[in-house]
Amino acid sequence: MSAFSKSNWDRRSVLRAAMGLAAAGGLAACGSNNGRGGGASGDALVQYFHAYGEAGTEQAIKKYAAAYDKANVTTQWITGSNFESKLFASLLTDNAPDLFEFHPQIQLVTSGQVLDLTDIVEPVKDDFNQADIQSHTVDGKIYGVRMIDDPQFFFYRPSLFEKAGVEVPQTLDELIEVAAKLTTDKVKGVYLGNTLQAVIRPMIWAAGADTLDENNRIAYHTDGVVEGLKKMRKLFTSGDLLLDAPADYWDPSALNQGLTAIQFCGMWAMPAMQQTLGDDLGVFPFPQVTDAGKPSVYNGGWSMFVNAKSDKADEAKEYVKWLWIDQKEYQEDWALSYGFHVPPRTSIAESADKLKSGLPAEGVKLFTDYGHFDNIGWTQAMIKATEDVFADCVRKDGDPEAALDKCDKAVNTELKKLFG
């Protein structure tokens, strides 16, 4: 598999989608859609996908659609860095897609934008990773079908570790020390992405905190997170962190091209890294930040949603059931043939030979032991608020407590709007 294209957008940037809409009350404005939507292709079902970096993905999605004999399904393959803005803008119009991939976000539910899919998921509910079911459930109803789970962790070059005489770091302090010893005139010690946004939630979890607690209250404003922010600032200013790489963290090129000894990335890039680096590749989770914390892995991923405002919503749901519930062969192909993803269906994951040995098996173990899944109540505006904290305290020299206080105000405004 070739290295990922630089033109492809940041996979996690979609979590920052439609901030203007979020600020205006989630997707309430989507009520302006008069129900005549369903895309510009007449009687065809229209689905939106972001442009995956792995070669063959676009062809695969279109192959699956072509095999469906009950409707003509067309695919809008959205390239560039603006998938989320195109998706959310389109949902406000008569040309909205009938189905689309995204992440579980409660405002999609509360605004009536996505269809309740409980009836198609319920018969196979026990065959899904139950954390995926939970992250798509509101008031006992399931919205969206998980297609892939994407564990994210650190990849590293064992040969460079051996040369520098260092071991895999177990704490954030050790990561900072290891990065310093790995840094040379040509290679930086570690790469966390150009904006550092990918490691915000892993750092919060590794500090023994969380985004929200079980009662949807702020859980990230802790002494451990403050300590973590100070340590991240130390790493950012150390000179040992690769900044402004040609492509962001989701692309394996920083490690593959020898720009860094350690790179935060996703399991999807593992085949591309193995093709370039062979056996000179290892993985480890985000290391614990404080004594109260423990290593963490963010399990991102993608889910298929049906646009409830489409006049072809029932037909779209039928297609979703056919492809993402009934067609296990296609589900396995999608998860394992174009990069490595963990299949959300337990039966498929258990039979996935590609994930049973070597580095992929190590990645799955990290996923199992340290994984954290999306919280459907953690909205775009909340994500943006924590990104602002990192911008203020890590990229700049702001006071962590003051930045977290500011973040609290933004998050509490969202929580009040959503939960009262």
Side-chain angles (χ1 to χ4, degrees):
M1 181 183 301
S2 60
F4 294 19
S5 167
K6 293 180 186 177
S7 67
N8 286 317
W9 63 294
D10 181 344
R11 289 165 173 268
R12 301 278 75 78
S13 73
V14 73
L15 294 174
R16 306 189 293 275
M19 288 311 307
L21 292 174
L27 291 173
C30 288
S32 63
N33 186 324
N34 62 16
R36 297 192 306 272
S41 299
D43 293 332
L45 292 175
V46 177
Q47 59 179 353
Y48 270 24
F49 275 78
H50 83 279
Y52 285 71
E54 299 94 327
T57 47
E58 181 179 6
Q59 293 80 3
I61 285 296
K62 291 180 177 179
K63 178 185 73 174
Y64 309 153
Y68 188 60
D69 61 9
K70 292 186 178 180
N72 178 23
V73 182
T74 64
T75 303
Q76 295 290 326
W77 193 255
I78 311 298
T79 60
S81 59
N82 58 349
F83 169 75
E84 69 277 11
S85 61
K86 287 187 177 181
L87 170 63
F88 279 81
S90 76
L91 290 175
L92 299 172
T93 74
D94 293 346
N95 293 317
D98 304 294
L99 59 158
F100 56 90
E101 66 168 359
F102 202 62
H103 311 282
Q105 292 281 308
I106 196 168
Q107 63 267 41
L108 290 170
V109 176
T110 57
S111 66
Q113 186 66 64
V114 293
L115 198 67
D116 174 9
L117 302 181
T118 306
D119 60 334
I120 67 171
V121 178
E122 188 68 39
V124 294
K125 178 180 176 180
D126 292 343
D127 190 39
F128 274 86
N129 187 311
Q130 292 306 293
D132 281 323
I133 295 294
Q134 180 181 352
S135 69
H136 291 70
T137 299
V138 178
D139 295 332
K141 297 179 179 179
I142 303 169
Y143 298 84
V145 179
R146 196 63 152 186
M147 300 182 294
I148 48 175
D149 283 321
D150 281 334
Q152 299 169 37
F153 33 65
F154 285 104
F155 291 81
Y156 71 98
R157 299 274 304 277
S159 64
L160 299 181
F161 273 50
E162 184 178 357
K163 185 176 180 180
V166 297
E167 302 291 335
V168 172
Q170 303 300 311
T171 65
L172 183 53
D173 286 328
E174 289 180 8
L175 177 63
I176 295 170
E177 295 170 3
V178 166
K181 293 179 180 179
L182 289 167
T183 298
T184 68
D185 292 340
K186 296 181 180 180
V187 181
K188 291 294 186 180
V190 64
Y191 179 54
L192 304 177
N194 291 335
T195 65
L196 312 186
Q197 292 164 347
V199 299
I200 295 175
R201 277 177 282 182
M203 191 216 76
I204 290 172
W205 295 318
D210 205 342
T211 51
L212 302 174
D213 66 16
E214 64 275 8
N215 296 312
N216 292 308
R217 296 176 301 196
I218 287 172
Y220 58 79
H221 194 155
T222 66
D223 291 343
V225 169
V226 170
E227 185 177 339
L229 289 167
K230 292 177 179 178
K231 291 177 181 179
M232 292 298 295
R233 173 65 181 173
K234 179 180 179 181
L235 177 59
F236 185 78
T237 58
S238 66
D240 306 318
L241 185 67
L242 176 64
L243 302 173
D244 300 322
D248 213 337
Y249 84 100
W250 49 266
D251 186 298
S253 58
L255 194 71
N256 282 354
Q257 294 176 11
L259 304 178
T260 183
I262 306 172
Q263 175 177 344
F264 190 83
C265 195
M267 191 164 163
W268 59 78
M270 190 178 286
M273 291 182 177
Q274 289 179 311
Q275 182 179 7
T276 299
L277 303 172
D279 293 333
D280 190 20
L281 190 64
V283 292
F284 64 88
F286 195 98
Q288 69 178 73
V289 173
T290 65
D291 291 340
K294 67 177 184 178
S296 71
V297 169
Y298 171 51
N299 292 327
W302 293 92
S303 307
M304 186 54 60
F305 297 90
V306 172
N307 179 8
K309 300 178 186 294
S310 165
D311 57 4
K312 296 192 288 292
D314 289 340
E315 293 93 329
K317 182 171 77 168
E318 190 173 353
Y319 176 67
V320 170
K321 178 183 182 299
W322 175 82
L323 178 53
W324 299 112
I325 299 293
D326 298 337
Q327 304 301 314
K328 282 192 171 185
E329 181 180 349
Y330 288 153
Q331 294 162 37
E332 181 176 6
D333 181 66
W334 184 238
L336 299 169
S337 297
Y338 316 96
F340 288 158
H341 314 265
V342 178
R345 298 287 290 273
T346 303
S347 58
I348 299 175
E350 288 177 348
S351 64
D353 290 339
K354 292 181 179 180
L355 303 181
K356 288 184 177 179
S357 61
L359 199 65
E362 292 183 39
V364 171
K365 189 174 191 313
L366 295 182
F367 168 88
T368 303
D369 292 349
Y370 303 119
H372 295 262
F373 289 71
D374 288 316
N375 182 331
I376 197 169
W378 188 246
T379 70
Q380 318 292 67
M382 298 176 196
I383 292 164
K384 176 63 165 57
T386 55
E387 289 172 354
D388 289 344
V389 171
F390 255 57
D392 290 345
C393 304
V394 179
R395 298 183 69 88
K396 300 176 184 177
D397 196 21
D399 174 59
E401 285 288 359
L404 287 170
D405 286 341
K406 182 180 178 181
C407 182
D408 290 349
K409 291 180 180 179
V411 172
N412 275 324
T413 295
E414 281 292 289
L415 290 173
K416 185 176 181 180
K417 189 166 24 178
L418 293 167
F419 304 109

